Amino acid sequence: MQFGVGWGADTMRNDTPEDATSLELLAEMRAMIDAAREVIEVSQATRDQPAEDLASEPEPVEFPIDSSDLLGDISDNLLVAYQLAKHDGDPLTVALIEKVLFHVGRRLARGMSPADAGIPCH
């Protein structure tokens, strides 16, 4: 009988599907953070350029926002994205959008009274 051989095929592991999903979510979040860092670095490099170098770059296109209920519009579009993600069938995409929907839902709930949400108050 051997003891302390290491992690072989006979060693029991406690990996669960939830662990795998959590690891995938963490990997996705890390990739998003890395992409955000790259955007920040490019933004800082652009800010440090002389004004004459910036004049040759095209103007950014701005998306017109006419809504007074921006958070409501975000949630509406997230619901569309959620339905598309479910149709697409990628469980990681669905899980990420669910987390964002939960966050936006909490933000919406903070701004509402129980009466606004349709909850009878006595």
Side-chain angles (χ1 to χ4, degrees):
M1 190 151 78
Q2 292 181 319
F3 293 101
V5 174
W7 293 99
D10 297 331
T11 305
M12 291 180 52
R13 296 187 50 154
N14 291 329
D15 292 341
T16 65
E18 292 83 15
D19 291 340
T21 302
S22 295
L23 291 174
E24 290 171 354
L25 288 172
L26 287 173
E28 182 71 21
M29 290 169 56
R30 183 173 300 276
M32 291 168 48
I33 290 169
D34 291 341
R37 281 189 183 128
E38 288 178 29
V39 168
I40 291 168
E41 289 170 359
V42 169
S43 174
Q44 288 174 342
T46 302
R47 185 190 65 208
D48 296 338
Q49 288 180 351
E52 59 272 3
D53 291 346
L54 294 176
S56 62
E57 295 181 15
E59 291 292 318
V61 177
E62 291 190 26
F63 185 81
I65 299 174
D66 296 331
S67 175
S68 61
D69 184 20
L70 188 57
L71 199 54
D73 289 345
I74 291 170
S75 64
D76 291 343
N77 286 295
L78 283 169
L79 288 169
V80 171
Y82 178 73
Q83 291 301 320
L84 292 170
K86 283 181 70 174
H87 182 69
D88 179 53
D90 179 32
L92 180 57
T93 302
V94 172
L96 288 168
I97 295 173
E98 284 175 345
K99 288 204 177 275
V100 176
L101 276 167
F102 181 74
H103 172 76
V104 171
R106 290 182 73 177
R107 287 186 59 203
L108 282 168
R110 275 189 236 130
M112 298 177 133
S113 69
D116 292 338
I119 299 171
C121 300
H122 298 275

